[in-house]
Amino acid sequence: MKIGIIGAGFVGRAVTQKAVQAGHEVMLSNSRGPQSLFSMKSALGCAVGTVDEAIAFGEAVVLAIPLSAYGALPPEGFRGKIVIDAINYYHERDGHIEALDRGETTTSEMIAAHLPGARVVKAFNAIRMIDLDVAGRPDGAADRLALPLAGDDAEAKAVVAGLYHQFGFDSVDAGPLSEGWRFERDRPAYCNLKPKQALAETLSGTTR
């Protein structure tokens, strides 16, 4: 499928590389414009464009930007699209957000409220990008690991689970977006890779 990626840091570049290797068409973008991504075209084998172009290009759009930047995203462009929220909340970078600090919402719920009509799935936030690159294993391998996801749209979650599978990982569905806190920063499942059953047990046993 066609995947637009917003953000060209470690996360954006790593997901781009894996998606291209899996046979998807990818357009990478950032806030500085496509001229700043000139070397990425040949290095990663992807297209580059503006943020608006990446949104229009993608059947799915990956958000790999700081949480503090999501408010600048144009809501109208995302209607009907699968939006993969790979964003984590770091108050040291993003400033304190009281509703998150109090556990009243999640990053994905905030993004979904900003992008009405988008099919938001929380994914790709709970793995280090170096591990995304090297830790994938074939389906059925004894040492295959799993990654969590959460969302309110079953079909969108199935698409994201398919990406996990193509990248060499099983998936564990943590439930609706409101349960995405179970694998946010500082939770037991955050960047702590486990096989599928162990990850499911860790997610279900996590307390807020």
Side-chain angles (χ1 to χ4, degrees):
M1 64 179 170
K2 293 184 175 181
I3 302 173
I5 297 186
I6 303 175
F10 289 123
V11 176
R13 294 197 305 270
V15 174
T16 294
Q17 182 176 38
K18 298 300 286 187
V20 169
Q21 290 172 350
H24 300 288
E25 296 180 61
V26 180
M27 180 178 286
L28 184 64
S29 70
N30 66 10
S31 61
R32 297 186 299 278
Q35 67 279 2
S36 69
L37 300 171
F38 177 77
S39 64
M40 295 295 103
K41 294 176 65 175
S42 57
L44 299 176
C46 64
V48 298
T50 66
V51 169
D52 287 342
E53 288 170 341
I55 296 168
F57 174 87
E59 300 164 68
V61 181
V62 178
L63 304 184
I65 57 178
L67 180 61
S68 57
Y70 86 90
L73 296 172
E76 62 278 1
F78 288 91
R79 290 188 180 274
K81 291 184 181 285
I82 296 171
V83 175
I84 301 172
D85 168 28
I87 296 172
N88 284 305
Y89 168 47
Y90 293 96
H91 64 79
E92 303 92 335
R93 176 193 65 192
D94 304 312
H96 279 282
I97 300 172
E98 291 188 7
L100 292 175
D101 291 341
R102 292 194 297 262
E104 296 172 354
T105 188
T106 65
T107 59
S108 294
E109 288 175 291
M110 292 171 57
I111 289 165
H114 179 66
L115 305 177
R119 305 161 70 191
V120 179
V121 179
K122 184 72 173 178
F124 288 106
N125 70 297
I127 180 173
R128 300 185 308 161
M129 291 303 102
I130 188 172
D131 292 329
L132 183 68
D133 185 40
V134 303
R137 297 292 185 271
D139 189 21
D143 59 346
R144 186 165 159 110
L145 301 168
L147 298 175
L149 57 84
D152 298 334
D153 185 307
E155 290 183 359
K157 287 196 287 189
V159 169
V160 177
L163 289 176
Y164 277 172
H165 178 78
Q166 291 169 6
F167 294 1
F169 299 88
D170 290 329
S171 60
V172 175
D173 187 346
L177 283 183
S178 60
E179 296 296 307
W181 61 270
R182 292 183 181 274
F183 51 98
E184 287 181 340
R185 178 194 182 187
D186 294 335
R187 305 294 181 187
Y190 180 71
C191 296
N192 183 12
L193 296 178
K194 300 174 181 290
K196 186 171 184 175
Q197 183 60 38
L199 177 59
E201 292 171 357
T202 296
L203 291 170
S204 65
T206 297
T207 56
R208 209 163 194 169

